[in-house]
Amino acid sequence: MIKVTIDDVEIEVAPGTTILNAARQAGGDLVPPAMCYYSKLPGTGGKCRTCLVEVAAGSTADPRPMPKLVASCSTTVMDGMIVKNKTSERVQTNRGGVVEFLLVNHPLDCPICDQAGECHLQDLGYEHGSAKTRYREERRTFSPIDIGNKIKLHMNRCILCYRCVAVANQLTDSRVHGVLHRGEHAEISTYIENAIDNDFSGNMIDVCPVGALTDKTFRFKSRVWFLKPYEAECACNKCSGKAVVWMFGNEIFRVTARKDKYGEVETIEDKTAWICNDCRFDKKDPSNWTLIGPRKIDRHSVISQGKYATKNDNNPKLLR
Amino acid sequence: MKADHPQAVNEAPIEFSANTMAEINRVIGLFPEGKQKSAILSVLHLVQDEFGWVSVGAMNRVALILGIQPIEVYEVATFYTMFHLDPVGKNVLEVCRTGPCQLVGSDDLITYIEEKLDIKVGETTKDGMFTLKTVECLGACGYGPMLMCKYQFYERLNKEKVNEMLDAMREASNS
Amino acid sequence: MSRKLLIEHAEVPGIASYETYRKHGGYASVEKALKTMSPDEVVEEVKKSGLRGRGGAGFPTGMKWSFLAKPEGVERHLVCNADESEPGTFKDRYLMEKLPHLLIEGMITSSYALGARRSYIYIRGEFMYVLRILEKAIAEAYANGMLGKNILGSGYDLDLVVTPGGGAYICGEETALLESLEGKRGNPRMKPPFPAVKGLWGNPTVVNNVESIAAVVPIVNEGGEAYAKIGIERSTGTKLISASGNLVRPGVYEIELGLSVEEFIYGDNYCRGIANGKKLKACIPGGSSVPILPHYLVTKTAAGTDRLMTYESLADGGFASGSMLGSGGFIVFDEDQCIVRNTWNFARFYAHESCGQCSPCREGTGWMEKVLYRLEHGTGTLEDISLLEEINKKIEGNTICPLGDAAAWPVAAAIRHFRDEFEWHVKSPQEAQTRNYGLIQAPLEA
């Protein structure tokens, strides 16, 4: 095991662990935010630069500090490494810079965005953003497009994390969407009108950290914080059938995978519990599902500030 | 379909000429077994050499030839700026606009060609003879102002040289 | 006049052909290396020579070679970076066009040193006519037994392929180049792993600039120690300088490192001074990515010593009053040039060339370009100038690859040295549209 200190907390992790994953093992507020890294999708990370941290000492063997801030998601820990995240002003300043960059071309259309309330960019904005923009230029815009009949792509909101590309590469048999053009003109697209027709394509919605990819069966139906999430199960021959159903009254408004506090799909019985498109888009009748109980949303979002997690919720009354 | 890519409708893969196919097979053969995707830029250049531009139908054919998904071809073709994804004129004038050329008059060169051909940067003459584009540094900084057309460099340009060059191109394209 | 180790025979008629090149001593390094030296001995000579990467970063080539991982049974590659795209730099094109066999000779000798049996030259797509010249030369080299199986009876096999890019500055970054060579978008890779461990198709790979590989030829022929005697301190050997801008005689020059900047700009054997009898306003000595120097810091350092064409002297004074040798793209501005316009021009270049993968570069380069556009076109504010400084501090050091720094440094340096000219554009927007600001004064003269 390797000893590493992050924000004055010493932990032991396995060799080869990244700084970010070491921080997640330690838990608490020393965990850097991550907009593009997704532990369940190999090859992701390094792009958004929100997880930058300061390495004050490289290792016991070579205690020199690293001159630049490093992406904690793709830098492995060394024995005796000292990392500063919350405790580094330099990190906080530069992370603020990254958040500003992510927002300069963002439409800030949270009031009409389905992701509002569970958006990682929103969280970052609250924590590191400034109240006023310094961007006086015209924002870049794209027209929304359909990627198949169940997924809507709002490129204006995209931060180019490449997670959805990884989903298509790793969960589906043929990728039909990708990143086109380059620089600030880079966009997620299919280039030609092309439906993504695959049982697991809907997981792109779950991995999207912002409101760029949204569920067309749920669009504009409700704000997420008005819904009550329940862990639910169904018999499915394509996926685990373990999901979260988001209800209002007796109605199921949407179905998502079960996500942890970092917004990642949970591992259940040693497998990442991706859900199939049948479960996500088509099973909207409560009789499709067995409700297990209320799902706690363990992220500081407005959802968790809602009143759904009352004591009574152990016994979902609304369904009776 | 996307409004900002009028050319981007799905098209059946188009056929390439026998010459192009022979060259494509040669460049694929330069790479080890299983690494044929490495030839993609060479192949796209060959396709553009034959048709003047790279259409969706052409890219769909390239995908079949290389055994990859069409999106992988679109991703690459849109990343590299040498590939014209819309139809262009017979002669595409690509004028370098970057710093070192600007110091020696590339702005004036661009204006002169615009006036001479009565088109703006990005446009094609009505007779389809010329398309004017600006590009970033072509690595001819000591010999500016300059432009590239059909992989040929025209350097240290002035009005007289531009006139002669345009005439020669017109003649070559008409014959 | 400096000694020329690389381009001495460049203007010899027919030197692009194998026969003529051979008559002028060509392929001697291949014979020497393959017949009398072990691969490690070649690496040793390169280390002794003190050769530093000629692409811009100046990392010692011998050291880079010694990092190459050599696991049993895994193929290794040498990849030549001929994606020359740094504005102000056009030396590699000259070398390859005139002396294709020099690069091929360097590739063979270097590949032998590294144990590579499949090597590649990745050349920018715009140099397609140079690619044809190289293809022809490679065919000649095969026909004469310098490439292929059992070269010169040594038992060493090498295949060499030249392949084009498609128009992307970023592919000059070595991991972007490798991605491109694999047929993908030129997105730089996260490092580590470095190419020396995981490069082309996951195999250990060395990526070197054209000029670095060509320099291996004289190093092997004359010995690393002899090479190291040329130049000053850690700037050994000769260097190709691409001179552009407002000079009497721009072009490619091979200099011995240590030549004075004064001699290079004004000397009869070099650029012969500023064109049209004008005065020097500024100079970017190492390609558009390095800091610009105002006229009073070009030929002298801030300490008043002569500025020399070396890695160390051009960097003297750090970013406050120095710059970098970089790729040797020496861009000269006369008194009538507008620094704001030029800074905007380069910012537009970097915004155009950003791959768009990481947020600070994708958003920051575009933002800087737009702000500079306004400053140049008369709608900028004084706050915009400080905003630019803020933006480039947030880009610098925070990106995946050095393109972010390359975009940030020129803007920072231009504002550092020419703030008055930027402010003048804000305060007198109309006047700034009709005339240039002219020379700025050195702080001491002011």
Side-chain angles (χ1 to χ4, degrees):
Chain A
M1 293 298 267
I2 279 178
K3 255 191 205 143
V4 51
T5 309
I6 304 173
D7 283 350
D8 307 321
V9 176
E10 197 180 275
I11 42 166
E12 286 199 343
V13 296
T17 307
T18 60
I19 296 172
L20 180 69
N21 281 331
R24 285 183 178 180
Q25 284 174 32
D29 67 354
L30 56 78
V31 184
M35 297 291 285
C36 68
Y37 172 76
Y38 202 88
S39 69
K40 273 93 193 206
L41 293 168
T44 52
K47 295 175 169 62
C48 71
R49 316 308 280 177
T50 53
C51 73
L52 289 174
V53 293
E54 183 179 333
V55 176
S59 66
T60 311
D62 182 359
R64 287 177 302 175
M66 292 190 183
K68 291 180 178 181
L69 301 181
V70 301
S72 57
C73 67
S74 44
T75 308
T76 45
V77 296
M78 304 292 277
D79 198 29
M81 186 184 265
I82 299 172
V83 177
K84 289 177 161 185
N85 175 31
K86 283 265 173 189
T87 51
S88 163
E89 209 179 301
R90 200 171 137 215
V91 168
Q92 298 307 312
T93 311
N94 282 282
R95 191 170 293 153
V98 172
V99 174
E100 186 173 21
F101 285 136
L102 289 174
L103 290 173
V104 290
N105 275 302
H106 191 82
L108 300 172
D109 59 347
C110 313
I112 55 148
C113 176
D114 283 319
Q115 191 85 358
E118 55 181 17
C119 173
H120 291 233
L121 188 56
Q122 231 176 7
D123 295 347
L124 263 185
Y126 280 122
E127 210 163 317
H128 297 280
S130 46
K132 251 182 90 187
T133 181
R134 300 189 287 180
Y135 193 68
R136 283 175 53 198
E137 329 304 327
E138 206 172 306
R139 284 164 204 263
R140 116 187 122 228
T141 53
F142 303 86
S143 320
I145 58 169
D146 289 334
I147 302 188
N149 59 353
K150 299 285 168 58
I151 305 173
K152 192 76 164 178
L153 168 62
H154 271 273
M155 188 56 216
N156 287 351
R157 298 171 185 156
C158 175
I159 59 151
L160 285 162
C161 69
Y162 285 62
R163 283 178 183 175
C164 62
V165 180
V167 163
N169 272 335
Q170 294 169 31
L171 300 187
T172 71
D173 29 272
S174 71
R175 177 161 67 89
V176 301
H177 84 297
V179 180
L180 301 175
H181 305 285
R182 71 182 191 204
E184 59 167 359
H185 302 292
E187 59 170 312
I188 300 284
S189 179
T190 53
Y191 194 60
I192 52 174
E193 190 179 7
N194 210 337
I196 293 181
D197 185 21
N198 183 284
D199 286 340
F200 286 85
S201 62
N203 289 290
M204 293 185 345
I205 299 166
D206 274 343
V207 302
C208 182
V210 295
L213 291 165
T214 50
D215 179 343
K216 281 184 77 181
T217 66
F218 173 62
R219 267 167 68 83
F220 304 137
K221 295 252 166 73
S222 170
R223 309 303 332 212
V224 289
W225 56 87
F226 293 140
L227 303 177
K228 298 196 173 190
Y230 291 95
E231 278 188 20
E233 225 168 25
C234 73
C236 178
N237 54 6
K238 288 179 179 160
C239 68
S240 66
K242 295 183 195 323
V244 173
V245 296
W246 299 72
M247 306 192 63
F248 190 85
N250 283 343
E251 254 184 280
I252 294 179
F253 272 62
R254 69 164 179 171
V255 180
T256 66
R258 296 183 190 169
K259 296 200 258 182
D260 65 16
K261 60 180 156 187
Y262 304 115
E264 295 192 7
V265 174
E266 276 183 357
T267 303
I268 301 172
E269 287 155 13
D270 290 338
K271 273 166 111 174
T272 308
W274 307 108
I275 60 168
C276 70
N277 287 2
D278 292 355
C279 287
R280 183 185 304 275
F281 299 126
D282 300 331
K283 296 183 184 168
K284 296 288 173 71
D285 191 322
S287 67
N288 294 138
W289 298 94
T290 310
L291 295 193
I292 297 163
R295 171 78 181 180
K296 287 194 176 57
I297 301 302
D298 201 5
R299 290 180 53 226
H300 70 281
S301 74
V302 285
I303 304 170
S304 47
Q305 287 160 19
K307 299 181 187 71
Y308 81 95
T310 58
K311 282 172 192 162
N312 296 338
D313 264 343
N314 291 330
N315 200 356
K317 273 182 206 154
L318 283 164
L319 296 177
R320 297 208 175 132
Chain B
M1 196 202 319
K2 303 191 48 208
D4 43 348
H5 295 306
Q7 303 303 328
V9 269
N10 205 358
E11 296 161 0
I14 60 168
E15 296 298 325
F16 300 155
S17 73
N19 280 344
T20 301
M21 278 313 298
E23 267 298 288
I24 286 175
N25 288 327
R26 182 184 72 83
V27 294
I28 290 173
L30 294 173
F31 294 95
E33 196 71 28
K35 307 294 183 199
Q36 70 276 13
K37 193 180 174 185
S38 286
I40 189 167
L41 294 176
S42 290
V43 172
L44 288 170
H45 281 297
L46 289 167
V47 169
Q48 182 155 296
D49 291 348
E50 179 176 344
F51 300 96
W53 67 294
V54 180
S55 63
V56 170
M59 290 193 274
N60 289 346
R61 171 64 63 196
V62 170
L64 286 175
I65 292 171
L66 296 176
I68 56 180
Q69 296 298 327
I71 185 70
E72 295 178 70
V73 185
Y74 311 151
E75 283 181 322
V76 167
T78 56
F79 185 90
Y80 297 93
T81 50
M82 287 185 77
F83 303 114
H84 310 306
L85 303 175
D86 300 288
V88 287
K90 286 177 185 154
N91 298 282
V92 184
L93 308 175
E94 298 186 290
V95 186
C96 174
R97 67 177 189 184
T98 315
C101 271
Q102 191 201 46
L103 290 177
V104 292
S106 62
D107 292 345
D108 294 342
L109 174 65
I110 293 163
T111 310
Y112 181 69
I113 299 176
E114 281 184 333
E115 284 168 6
K116 180 92 185 150
L117 297 177
D118 195 23
I119 50 172
K120 292 278 164 210
V121 169
E123 294 176 352
T124 300
T125 53
K126 284 202 189 81
D127 60 0
M129 187 59 73
F130 297 104
T131 297
L132 178 62
K133 290 197 173 187
T134 52
V135 294
E136 297 296 350
C137 188
L138 289 175
C141 318
Y143 322 113
M146 60 82 63
L147 61 80
M148 180 177 78
C149 181
K150 300 188 174 173
Y151 303 130
Q152 203 180 325
F153 282 27
Y154 297 83
E155 298 174 336
R156 292 202 168 112
L157 289 173
N158 53 33
K159 289 183 182 176
E160 292 74 49
K161 281 193 184 174
V162 168
N163 293 346
E164 282 168 29
M165 177 195 80
L166 293 177
D167 287 344
M169 286 175 180
R170 223 178 249 120
E171 202 168 308
S173 297
N174 280 331
S175 59
Chain C
M1 191 80 186
S2 289
R3 269 189 74 194
K4 286 184 181 166
L5 299 179
L6 301 175
I7 59 171
E8 191 185 350
H9 301 305
E11 301 299 334
V12 171
I15 196 73
S17 77
Y18 178 83
E19 213 175 299
T20 312
Y21 180 72
R22 196 86 164 102
K23 268 186 209 144
H24 284 82
Y27 288 99
S29 78
V30 175
E31 292 199 61
K32 184 172 176 184
L34 269 59
K35 287 181 178 166
T36 69
M37 298 168 80
S38 71
D40 285 346
E41 283 168 351
V42 180
V43 175
E44 212 36 55
E45 289 305 314
V46 174
K47 275 191 188 164
K48 276 190 224 156
S49 74
L51 174 67
R52 294 168 67 173
R54 300 300 196 217
F59 191 81
T61 305
M63 202 190 290
K64 192 172 189 178
W65 285 12
S66 64
F67 292 153
L68 184 66
K70 296 179 175 168
E72 272 302 303
V74 179
E75 205 180 346
R76 306 191 274 278
H77 305 285
L78 171 64
V79 174
C80 172
N81 183 345
D83 191 59
E84 183 168 63
S85 309
E86 171 84 1
T89 315
F90 48 100
K91 64 188 175 75
D92 296 338
R93 169 190 163 206
Y94 178 84
L95 188 150
M96 292 185 288
E97 179 180 348
K98 300 287 180 180
L99 295 160
H101 283 286
L102 177 63
L103 175 59
I104 295 166
E105 178 177 357
M107 285 299 287
I108 300 167
T109 307
S110 306
S111 297
Y112 171 73
L114 298 167
R117 281 159 196 269
R118 225 194 280 265
S119 295
Y120 295 88
I121 299 171
Y122 178 94
I123 187 167
R124 63 179 299 186
E126 293 89 342
F127 289 173
M128 194 61 85
Y129 79 97
V130 184
L131 178 143
R132 299 288 172 234
I133 294 171
L134 286 168
E135 274 183 339
K136 192 165 166 252
I138 288 172
E140 287 181 319
Y142 270 104
N144 287 282
M146 289 293 172
L147 284 171
K149 295 255 176 270
N150 191 20
I151 299 169
L152 299 175
S154 63
Y156 174 63
D157 307 336
L158 175 66
D159 281 313
L160 179 61
V161 166
V162 55
T163 189
Y169 167 75
I170 189 62
C171 292
E173 195 277 339
E174 60 180 11
T175 59
L177 187 155
L178 294 173
E179 285 286 295
S180 184
L181 194 46
E182 291 182 7
K184 304 181 208 153
R185 295 163 62 82
N187 285 350
R189 297 175 180 170
M190 253 60 75
K191 284 158 286 207
F194 289 92
V197 177
K198 258 186 155 181
L200 182 62
W201 304 312
N203 298 333
T205 303
V206 167
V207 183
N208 281 144
N209 171 259
V210 171
E211 187 187 346
S212 312
I213 290 170
V216 172
V217 172
I219 288 168
V220 168
N221 284 337
E222 302 188 15
E225 270 169 33
Y227 186 89
K229 282 191 185 127
I230 304 169
I232 296 177
E233 296 169 47
R234 289 184 58 235
S235 297
T236 62
T238 65
K239 170 95 190 80
L240 297 179
I241 305 292
S242 324
S244 67
N246 310 115
L247 290 162
V248 173
R249 209 170 62 152
V252 176
Y253 296 95
E254 181 168 3
I255 63 159
E256 288 184 14
L257 288 169
L259 181 77
S260 77
V261 173
E262 173 94 29
E263 174 70 13
F264 184 70
I265 297 179
Y266 297 100
D268 278 350
N269 290 325
Y270 303 99
C271 304
R272 296 187 186 166
I274 311 305
N276 306 314
K278 289 184 184 170
K279 292 194 193 96
L280 172 71
K281 177 172 183 173
C283 172
I284 302 175
S288 64
S289 306
V290 309
I292 189 170
L293 294 174
H295 63 89
Y296 55 86
L297 289 172
V298 176
T299 56
K300 299 273 183 208
T301 64
T305 57
D306 283 346
R307 184 87 77 184
L308 307 178
M309 302 285 278
T310 63
Y311 292 95
E312 295 78 15
S313 179
L314 282 168
D316 188 288
F319 277 8
S321 66
S323 182
M324 288 162 87
L325 177 62
S327 61
F330 197 88
I331 310 167
V332 171
F333 297 60
D334 72 25
E335 59 195 289
D336 291 335
Q337 300 301 337
C338 172
I339 298 298
V340 178
R341 184 164 187 77
N342 189 264
T343 308
W344 162 60
N345 183 296
F346 282 131
R348 181 177 67 179
F349 172 83
Y350 289 105
H352 185 264
E353 300 301 332
S354 167
C355 78
Q357 196 182 198
C358 68
S359 7
C361 182
R362 178 181 67 241
E363 307 296 346
T365 55
W367 192 0
M368 286 204 296
E369 189 270 327
K370 292 183 187 87
V371 174
L372 280 159
Y373 176 90
R374 283 196 286 104
L375 282 166
E376 163 62 12
H377 291 85
T379 58
T381 63
L382 290 178
E383 291 76 52
D384 281 338
I385 302 173
S386 40
L387 175 62
L388 282 173
E389 288 177 306
E390 280 273 313
I391 299 172
N392 75 59
K393 266 187 225 147
K394 298 283 164 58
I395 300 176
E396 188 187 346
N398 289 341
T399 52
I400 294 174
C401 84
L403 192 141
D405 296 346
W409 290 343
V411 177
I415 296 175
R416 187 183 311 126
H417 297 302
F418 297 91
R419 184 181 287 274
D420 290 352
E421 191 167 337
F422 279 86
E423 291 183 354
W424 178 72
H425 269 251
V426 172
K427 290 173 188 157
S428 317
Q430 249 126 40
E431 202 184 348
Q433 298 299 306
T434 55
R435 73 168 184 94
N436 279 316
Y437 184 79
L439 292 183
I440 56 151
Q441 289 187 319
L444 286 177
E445 297 162 16

